[in-house]
Amino acid sequence: MADNAIYYDASKCTGCKGCQINCKQWNRLPSPLEQPEWTGSYESPKENSGNTWLRITFNEVAGNDDDGIGWAFGRNACQHCTDAACAKVCPAGAYYHTAEGSVALDTSKCVGCQFCATACPYHIPHFNDNDGRSRKCWMCQDRIANGLKPACVTTCPTLALQFGTREEMLEKAKARVAEIKPIRPDAMVYGENEMDGLHVIQVLPYGAEAHGMPLNPKENILEQAERWLQPLTVLGVLGISAVAVASFIGGRHFSQAEALKHAYPEDYGRPDEVVVEEMVIEDGRDA
Amino acid sequence: MAQYIKRHDALARLNHWIFAICGLGLGIGGAFMFFPFLRELVSPEFLRAQMTLHRILGALFVAVPLISWIIRPSNFIHTFKNIFAKWNKDDLEFMKKFVPYLFNPKKQHMPKQGFIKSGQRISDAVMYFLIFIFMITGVLMWIGMPNIPEWLFSLSKFGHVMSFFGWSILMVVHIYLGAGIFQPYRGSARYVFGDGYASAEDAKYHWGHWADDELASCENVKEM
């Protein structure tokens, strides 16, 4: 099986959202019926969710003298990281790397803990209230396993979205960046090395951040700290248990009676025969 | 006829039973979510059931003492008054001698103590603090995203596992001393799991100041 990747060229994207809709259709993801509030942006919805796995983001950026304002479209969906943070933190092993290059989620295994959502540097997995499990793009694993392209790719009218081996997609992206660099000096290829290599290779004409992508994506620092805490907890428990064992050995032959003689010499510290003698005297007095 | 002094009433002992059962269940269940080597031993169905049970036990763990404190506020006052009682000379001496005592109790003689020993006062304060963190972070994680922001969920999760780290170590100490595995503390499980009474000898040895007061007042003393 080939190590595949989705190619997204933001310089060719027109923000038509055809990919967004086709993703919903192929994966049977419902859309809410209520009218969204007008926010002044064509970006809709404003967030990914358990039912929206792919979203085109709209960002206005300053263009050059010829075009004034430019659109920095972004493709907000799973990046299918080689070093996938979601797969590392999932307690149920629901995330897995496929032979085709995607990071898929077996929802039948998902326990709905949402740990994946906090670990992901792209904030991609989302909780689905309907079934209490997380959801995200799976690169249409059912399609690519049968030789088809992901649903989003098939609908792109400008060929901004393409699909192929990761190597080919990287080459294509580098060539495109070289082509647009004279008019877009911030243009860059995104996905070659991020998170040990993504399986979504992007051409971002205005630089990563303008298109909503983090420049140096990293797994949530608290998740990394938690990974340190796991062996520390085991070591802590073993260490304190070793102290308890040493204490237990030191406590052999302990006698509370002896200790009480020290604490209460008047009650416990005298020899028995003296106490008996005193009791006899007391009895004699009573008599 | 031997003398016995009452340490804990029935409600406090019931609380401790529930605390112990819930705490054990929460600790074991939580460990399966926390440690990767344990996760691999169980199925997702087990983890899902565990998460449900974790929430039930967590709710009981918090609700039962709160309800019992509402029923009997004097227990709440008594608990926290003892934890935050002013430290005296004996308390400081106790803490100084505690480590040598732990390894050689035959040779080390400890000063008299009040109802709760100085070391246990620190341990109890830490324990209540950890329970508070467990409670807050547990409830926030239960509410979950998108009802709370991602940063708060992430912080809650970290707070929960940090508390688990502290709790695991504290519980080894608590069980070693409280269950009476440590020879001088033998039989102490009876005070919270049994009838709640300590013999006068045990009381004098462990909590001299408290035993002296109780034996003088005879209020909670019975002879058997």
Side-chain angles (χ1 to χ4, degrees), chain A residues 81-101:
Chain A
C81 316
T82 301
D83 181 26
C86 54
K88 281 200 278 191
V89 300
C90 179
Y95 285 90
Y96 61 99
H97 292 268
T98 68
E100 289 83 10

Side-chain angles (χ1 to χ4, degrees), chain A residues 7-255:
Chain A
Y7 169 86
Y8 172 65
D9 183 348
S11 71
K12 287 185 178 171
C13 179
T14 59
C16 72
K17 300 189 209 172
C19 51
Q20 199 172 308
I21 292 162
N22 217 28
C23 170
K24 274 190 176 282
Q25 283 186 336
W26 179 258
N27 292 297
R28 297 183 182 176
L29 303 173
S31 294
L33 292 174
E34 63 266 22
Q35 186 81 24
E37 195 185 330
W38 171 245
T39 59
S41 168
Y42 289 117
E43 188 176 308
S44 176
K46 289 298 281 181
E47 298 282 341
N48 285 25
S49 71
N51 288 324
T52 301
W53 300 348
L54 164 61
R55 194 170 55 92
I56 294 296
T57 59
F58 287 60
N59 186 25
E60 285 176 1
V61 289
N64 53 30
D65 289 344
D66 298 330
D67 50 21
I69 286 178
W71 281 112
F73 296 116
R75 184 181 178 277
N76 194 293
C78 179
Q79 303 296 312
H80 302 280
C81 316
T82 301
D83 181 26
C86 54
K88 281 200 278 191
V89 300
C90 179
Y95 285 90
Y96 61 99
H97 292 268
T98 68
E100 289 83 10
S102 66
V103 177
L105 165 62
D106 181 348
T107 49
S108 71
K109 285 186 177 178
C110 176
V111 296
C113 64
Q114 303 193 8
F115 295 175
C116 50
T118 57
C120 175
Y122 299 101
H123 315 284
I124 290 303
H126 277 76
F127 190 65
N128 191 338
D129 274 332
N130 295 337
D131 62 0
R133 293 166 197 205
S134 284
R135 295 290 178 90
K136 70 163 197 77
C137 159
W138 64 325
M139 211 191 260
C140 292
Q141 185 58 31
D142 52 348
R143 293 176 62 92
I144 58 175
N146 289 289
L148 298 170
K149 291 175 182 174
C152 56
V153 173
T154 58
T155 195
C156 185
T158 60
L159 298 181
L161 280 169
Q162 297 184 39
F163 182 74
T165 65
R166 187 169 183 273
E167 214 171 308
E168 282 169 6
M169 298 301 109
L170 261 176
E171 266 177 43
K172 195 186 284 283
K174 284 175 182 169
R176 177 64 179 160
V177 166
E179 192 181 339
I180 63 174
K181 204 78 176 171
I183 54 162
R184 296 280 179 252
D186 295 330
M188 63 179 289
V189 175
Y190 191 89
E192 184 174 13
N193 301 312
E194 288 80 2
M195 301 301 283
D196 281 355
L198 306 177
H199 289 79
V200 175
I201 305 296
Q202 305 190 60
V203 173
L204 304 177
Y206 295 102
E209 278 155 345
H211 295 268
M213 304 305 291
L215 199 54
N216 294 304
K218 283 191 175 67
E219 184 189 354
N220 183 337
I221 193 162
L222 294 179
E223 291 293 342
Q224 293 177 42
E226 191 179 321
R227 209 160 297 128
W228 279 97
L229 263 184
Q230 289 161 352
L232 272 182
T233 306
V234 175
L235 283 176
V237 167
L238 289 177
I240 204 78
S241 301
V243 171
V245 169
S247 159
F248 185 78
I249 293 166
R252 282 173 310 161
H253 313 304
F254 165 80
S255 157

Side-chain angles (χ1 to χ4, degrees), chain B residues 15 33 49 77 80 87 90 92 157 160 172 186 199 207-208:
Chain B
N15 256 338
M33 295 293 283
I77 295 163
F80 284 93
W87 283 55
D90 284 342
L92 295 172
K157 184 175 172 247
H160 215 70
V172 175
R186 205 142 274 178
S199 71
W207 314 279

Side-chain angles (χ1 to χ4, degrees), chain B residues 12 24 42-43 59 61 80 104 108 120 126 149 151 153 169 185 217:
Chain B
L24 198 67
V42 296
S43 65
F61 192 71
F80 284 93
N104 195 358
Q108 201 60 248
Q120 198 185 341
V126 173
W151 66 266
F153 186 93
I169 292 169
Y185 288 32
S217 77

